[in-house]
Amino acid sequence: MYKDLTSLLAEATEAKQPLWRIIAEEEMRLSEIKEHELLMRLDTRLSVMEQSAMRALESPLETVGGLISGVASRHARYANDRKGLAGGLANRVMAFALSCSEVNASMGCICAAPTAGACGILPAVLFGLREEYDLSRGELQLALLTASGVGAVITRNATVSGAEGGCQAECGVAAAMAASAAVFLVNGTNEACIHAAAFALMNAMGLVCDPIAGLVQVPCAQRNASQAVNALVSADLALAGMRSVIPPDEVVEAMLKVGHLLPDALKETAQGGIAATPTGRRIAKELFPEQGQ
Amino acid sequence: MDISIFDVVGPVMIGPSSSHTAGAAALSRVGREIIGEPFTHVSFGLHGSFADTGAGHGTDRALVAGALGMRPDDERLRDAFRLAEETGMGYDFHRVELDNVHENTVQMVFTLLSGRKREIIGSSIGGARIVITRIDGYETALTAQTNTIMIEHHDVPGVVSGITRALAFNGINIAGMQLARKSRGDMAFTIIEVDQNIDDMTLHDIDWVNGVKRVQVIGTVESLADAMEGLLYV
């Protein structure tokens, strides 16, 4: 039974199976469910992800303080009108990620992946790639399975709590999950899936959690957009054949240790980073005068 | 692996924060279930990050929503204050400093119809997962990830073995077990996490064990029925 990324990969290699098969079998054992129920539960989540990735593309949603109202629809128009510097796919992925963040901030329904603050990254990559490669629902389910298996291992051996590990534990882990899903969706190897996840974590290492006024809006929406692109970049690195010099499980461990080294001011308390800038503090004071940060 | 993929991709919830919104709703939802009888008012003591950044995350609305019986994915969550007013459930918020607890912790004091007060303390530990750490003065570690049986009993020899015998007799497998007491020979509290669903026969058998005062089952956060459709506890 696997307990880390190395043993997950080893089991898949030994059985000559894709990662999702090993992950599915483990989950069916753990949750005592049949394959049908497993796929049904995954599909429910996929539906919520799809809705949240699309819901704010047309018109702005109302959020507390309005810090990110309209960012998704504006970016969707930009991505439609031109390719953007980072390319068409990357820009559409950003728009999807921003939509999820906007839905989340408006107290709409989302699927945490692995957390609500990071809920845009995995859906953005999944549905961005669906458009690009005309993927089936079944393929998306298996990609979600791959991503969630990788996420479960990281949750087990590190943390996905912003209060414990900073933004790297939320958006960084989401990017790692999305990177492995992306590699799977374009028929990359199991090994490439795992190493893509390691690259995504490496690229996000040390990222602090510093939300203005404690609201899950700025810089969370921007981080969802940029970490979704990090997932694509990390997937490309692995697909091109790059392998992580540091074993992926050691990268996971390093992420946890960095999280513990970060001061509390940079872990969801809104006391440091972007939140603690003069303008960040002024916005906080205007929105919540009684809280006195 | 001991972590379900559905704890990582999920829950499906109302934003914006899994720990500050969904976790908060789950805490008071489970708290309400533990209380298990009508109450008129809940006083929420917010500790740490719940107090510092709670308002912007809708922690306050989520706590009220959970106390009303809403699930963390109920879109009515944002209207929780108005719904509480309509149904007559009182609530208040204040800041507390608790010792040796997680950053995201709430102290909930429920006022029952009789006027008696009961206290539950719990923490939101990330990704909407929760742990109830204190129930009426007993130290606990209730996560509501599996079905949980809570038994209050006299702290005398033989009670626990009687309980486990009753479970074995009904074919129930114990996944985890905690025993707490306030002082030796007084009352004790046993919390048993089990893999299966618990039927009335099993509860009846536990209730009959010598020394057992009260037995109660708490479902998982996911399974707790949506009480908003039916009768509220107020």
Side-chain angles (χ1 to χ4, degrees):
Chain A
M1 232 173 318
Y2 64 87
K3 288 186 161 44
D4 51 24
L5 296 172
T6 309
S7 50
L8 169 62
L9 182 58
E11 271 188 44
T13 309
E14 164 119 22
K16 294 195 174 62
Q17 293 287 337
L19 295 174
W20 66 260
R21 173 55 68 189
I22 308 297
I23 294 162
E25 272 162 20
E26 188 60 17
E27 183 63 32
M28 289 189 282
R29 187 194 61 79
L30 179 68
S31 295
E32 293 176 358
I33 52 174
K34 299 261 189 295
E35 187 167 326
H36 168 73
E37 162 129 33
L38 177 79
L39 291 176
M40 218 173 63
R41 283 203 209 172
L42 281 169
D43 202 65
T44 308
R45 284 158 167 78
L46 209 50
S47 297
V48 174
M49 286 182 171
E50 185 174 10
Q51 282 158 21
S52 58
M54 309 296 157
R55 189 159 155 191
L57 294 183
E58 297 293 324
S59 48
L61 299 177
E62 201 179 306
T63 64
V64 178
L67 302 184
I68 60 166
S69 286
V71 291
S73 52
R74 203 174 310 128
H75 205 89
R77 275 196 302 279
Y78 171 77
N80 276 341
D81 294 348
R82 61 203 106 168
K83 281 175 77 175
L85 296 176
L89 171 63
N91 275 288
R92 279 194 302 282
V93 161
M94 284 185 240
F96 290 155
L98 291 171
S99 171
C100 296
S101 290
E102 209 173 316
V103 169
N104 186 48
S106 71
M107 294 189 92
C109 193
I110 54 94
C111 179
T115 62
C119 73
I121 294 158
L122 185 54
V125 169
L126 291 177
F127 292 100
L129 290 175
R130 177 184 66 173
E131 268 186 18
E132 192 81 3
Y133 295 99
D134 196 23
L135 300 164
S136 72
R137 188 78 178 183
E139 285 171 298
L140 291 180
Q141 286 173 357
L142 300 185
L144 180 56
L145 194 48
T146 308
S148 54
V150 168
V153 170
I154 301 175
T155 305
R156 180 185 187 277
N157 298 331
T159 177
V160 296
S161 158
E164 190 184 348
C167 188
Q168 54 160 8
E170 298 203 24
C171 287
V173 172
M177 294 163 66
S180 64
V183 170
F184 167 79
L185 283 173
V186 296
N187 301 317
T189 63
N190 288 342
E191 194 191 13
C193 287
I194 300 292
H195 282 258
F199 292 140
L201 278 183
M202 230 183 260
N203 295 343
M205 194 158 293
L207 199 57
V208 302
C209 179
D210 50 356
I212 294 177
L215 298 170
V216 192
Q217 296 188 37
V218 179
C220 316
Q222 289 82 352
R223 300 251 171 87
N224 270 264
S226 57
Q227 288 304 314
V229 175
N230 173 24
L232 295 181
V233 170
S234 300
D236 267 337
L237 290 175
L239 286 164
M242 188 191 283
R243 292 295 174 264
S244 177
V245 172
I246 306 301
D249 287 309
E250 291 185 31
V251 176
V252 172
E253 196 189 339
M255 186 275 281
L256 176 65
K257 285 185 175 160
V258 167
H260 288 164
L261 284 171
L262 287 174
D264 282 346
L266 299 174
K267 289 188 282 193
E268 222 179 272
T269 53
Q271 304 290 319
I274 292 297
T277 56
T279 306
R281 288 193 189 280
R282 179 179 55 75
I283 293 170
K285 214 170 160 191
E286 281 167 16
L287 291 174
F288 306 109
E290 75 283 4
Q291 266 185 9
Q293 300 268 332
Chain B
M1 277 298 292
D2 37 21
I3 295 206
S4 167
I5 60 168
F6 297 114
D7 289 334
V8 181
V9 174
V12 171
M13 53 165 275
I14 301 305
S17 162
S18 49
S19 50
H20 286 71
T21 320
L27 278 168
S28 52
R29 180 77 187 83
V30 171
R32 166 198 166 96
E33 204 63 22
I34 293 170
I35 297 303
E37 60 178 298
F39 52 83
T40 54
H41 187 97
V42 195
S43 180
F44 296 102
L46 306 177
H47 170 90
S49 172
F50 263 15
D52 292 333
T53 67
H57 288 135
T59 301
D60 43 7
R61 279 190 269 185
L63 285 168
V64 169
L68 284 168
M70 275 185 241
R71 288 159 43 115
D73 62 351
D74 193 322
E75 290 228 351
R76 292 168 298 177
L77 194 148
R78 67 179 93 175
D79 301 321
F81 291 159
R82 184 177 55 79
L83 288 166
E85 209 161 295
E86 277 174 23
T87 53
M89 187 189 88
Y91 59 87
D92 71 86
F93 294 95
H94 56 278
R95 184 183 277 267
V96 287
E97 298 286 340
L98 303 169
D99 290 331
N100 298 320
V101 294
H102 189 280
E103 266 291 285
N104 298 327
T105 296
V106 60
Q107 174 190 46
M108 300 174 273
V109 177
F110 293 81
T111 307
L112 307 182
L113 276 180
S114 62
R116 193 163 78 90
K117 291 189 195 307
R118 292 188 60 190
E119 180 208 60
I120 294 175
I121 296 176
S123 307
S124 176
I125 55 175
R129 281 170 298 137
I130 61 160
V131 56
I132 301 285
T133 55
R134 209 173 168 86
I135 302 172
D136 297 326
Y138 293 107
E139 302 287 336
T140 62
L142 195 159
T143 59
Q145 292 281 310
T146 58
N147 288 315
T148 307
I149 310 174
M150 300 197 323
I151 304 146
E152 196 175 11
H153 55 85
H154 293 282
D155 184 25
V156 291
V159 181
V160 175
S161 75
I163 294 167
T164 53
R165 240 194 331 270
L167 288 171
F169 180 73
N170 285 280
I172 304 291
N173 191 39
I174 296 176
M177 193 160 170
Q178 305 151 27
L179 189 60
R181 60 181 185 182
K182 288 175 187 165
S183 62
R184 187 194 289 195
D186 191 10
M187 294 301 291
F189 204 53
T190 294
I191 294 180
I192 303 174
E193 294 177 319
V194 299
D195 296 330
Q196 292 95 339
N197 286 322
I198 309 297
D199 59 20
D200 287 348
M201 260 326 274
T202 311
L203 287 185
H204 181 262
D205 287 351
I206 295 172
D207 210 18
W208 270 72
V209 172
N210 228 340
V212 168
K213 190 181 156 203
R214 198 168 58 87
V215 56
Q216 182 187 4
V217 176
I218 307 294
T220 61
V221 177
E222 197 122 329
S223 73
L224 291 175
D226 190 345
M228 281 298 290
E229 304 298 344
L231 199 65
L232 282 158
Y233 279 163
V234 282

